[in-house]
Amino acid sequence: MPSLERLLKESERIEPVPQVIHQLMDLVDDPEVPVSEITELILYEPLVTANLLKLANSAAFGFKKKIDSVHDAVVLLGLKRVVEMVLLNSVTKPLKSAHRGYGLEEGQLWKQSVSCALMASAIAETIAAPEKHIVFTAALLKDIGVLVLDRHMGDAMAMIRTVMADGSLNLVAAERQVLGLDHAHLGGRIAEKWNFSETLAGTIQNHHLTEEAIDISKQTAIVYMADSMCSMSGLNADLFCDHYAHYDRICEQLGLSEENANRIMSDFYSRKEDIYGLLAIL
């Protein structure tokens, strides 16, 4: 297995998140920013604009009125949803490929990443969490370390599966034992390399709660909860299904009732096919 430094160097082959995303994320929490400033920022990126309108008018988002401009998208959908759409489009290409080192067919990693992001967004809305865009982004990018580690798996994956089965370990613990590092830690370091905030990088790095921390940030707790709900709903590949060891504790921390958790999972499942249909148009 190459060193962490070598793996970070290899991460440069992944197309980074566009600069416009960073700029939008800086604006998303500022209520004083005029819509015109936001739309102008997006309009400077013709491909981003075209793909945003394609997404906004897709069945997945179910908006009845035709959206013909970036201005309409921002006004009718809200800046948070627009940022989510732009980000979703920008990461589709690397995520939708097959990742056979991890046993993932084409589109599988994209589906579980998008599922987690939308679940996390729904949780954040339900509990009125601040910085909702960080939660969506971290959930969407939580497995970017897989993109780099995948090509180096080879025979290591058989060993990882054996360790998971024999020691009742989850994926990241088994990766650490066999490889000396895990995809979540690597993902956090890649996020740092892409100049994401410390909060966002930390959420990606710690979303499996492998560190026995007493104080878990709300953003990390939400992504962990969303990932657990995806596993419970059968949306994650078997290898990525965690043991939900912290599920009850995190529910209590977030103030998320069982009724609301079940509603979020049910609502997502009812829209799943429309959402997965986005893969065909991105």
Side-chain angles (χ1 to χ4, degrees):
M1 177 61 60
S3 66
L4 176 60
E5 289 70 25
R6 174 68 182 276
L7 291 170
L8 288 173
K9 181 68 176 175
E10 288 185 16
S11 73
E12 293 175 5
R13 67 185 173 83
I14 304 171
E15 188 173 338
V17 172
Q19 185 60 34
V20 68
I21 291 291
H22 293 278
Q23 294 170 295
L24 286 171
M25 288 176 69
D26 287 340
L27 298 176
V28 73
D29 286 323
D30 187 350
E32 302 300 321
V33 174
V35 170
S36 59
E37 183 176 340
I38 297 162
T39 56
E40 185 176 344
L41 186 62
I42 297 173
L43 284 170
Y44 280 125
E45 304 282 347
L47 187 59
V48 171
T49 297
N51 287 323
L52 168 62
L53 296 180
K54 188 192 300 183
L55 278 175
N57 288 299
S58 70
F61 291 95
F63 206 77
K64 294 180 180 179
K65 181 180 177 181
K66 188 78 171 175
I67 296 176
D68 295 319
S69 69
V70 174
H71 181 273
D72 286 350
V74 174
V75 170
L76 296 172
L77 300 177
L79 177 58
K80 184 182 82 72
R81 180 58 59 83
V82 166
V83 172
E84 289 176 359
M85 288 180 174
V86 174
L87 179 63
L88 181 60
N89 178 73
S90 71
V91 302
T92 288
K93 185 176 179 181
L95 287 177
K96 75 177 181 180
S97 302
H99 300 89
R100 305 202 187 281
Y102 279 86
L104 298 172
E105 299 299 324
E106 183 176 351
Q108 197 166 3
L109 184 60
W110 182 90
K111 288 178 180 178
Q112 66 185 47
S113 298
V114 171
S115 298
C116 188
L118 293 174
M119 288 268 204
S121 186
I123 294 170
E125 291 285 353
T126 299
I127 65 172
E131 299 181 314
K132 297 178 181 67
H133 63 287
I134 288 181
V135 169
F136 181 91
T137 307
L140 186 64
L141 299 178
K142 64 183 176 58
D143 291 327
I144 53 173
V146 167
L147 304 182
V148 177
L149 284 179
D150 182 70
R151 63 188 297 197
H152 297 291
M153 276 303 172
D155 295 336
M157 183 46 67
M159 297 173 62
I160 287 171
R161 289 186 179 276
T162 298
V163 167
M164 290 176 70
D166 292 348
S168 296
L169 300 178
N170 65 9
L171 176 59
V172 291
E175 285 175 331
R176 287 183 180 184
Q177 186 168 320
V178 174
L179 305 175
L181 82 165
D182 63 78
H183 73 272
H185 179 81
L186 178 59
R189 294 295 302 273
I190 292 171
E192 290 175 359
K193 189 178 178 68
W194 285 354
N195 295 316
F196 279 130
S197 70
E198 183 179 337
T199 299
L200 179 51
T203 301
I204 291 172
Q205 185 167 321
N206 299 316
H207 74 273
H208 281 285
L209 305 189
T210 48
E211 306 295 344
E212 292 298 326
I214 297 175
D215 295 322
I216 298 167
S217 74
K218 182 166 284 189
Q219 293 89 349
T220 301
I222 291 172
V223 175
Y224 172 85
M225 179 60 61
D227 197 25
S228 296
M229 289 162 69
C230 285
S231 293
M232 295 166 69
S233 302
L235 301 170
N236 283 345
D238 289 346
L239 193 65
F240 290 81
C241 287
D242 217 327
H243 299 154
Y244 331 126
H246 307 282
Y247 185 88
D248 291 339
R249 175 165 69 103
I250 296 303
C251 267
E252 183 176 354
Q253 175 183 330
L254 294 175
L256 185 69
S257 68
E258 183 178 355
E259 179 183 359
N260 279 333
N262 289 336
R263 176 185 55 77
I264 289 168
M265 287 188 278
S266 177
D267 287 351
F268 177 85
Y269 217 83
S270 68
R271 299 189 300 126
K272 184 181 71 166
E273 295 309 316
D274 282 340
I275 292 166
Y276 287 177
L278 291 174
L279 189 57
I281 67 173
L282 289 174

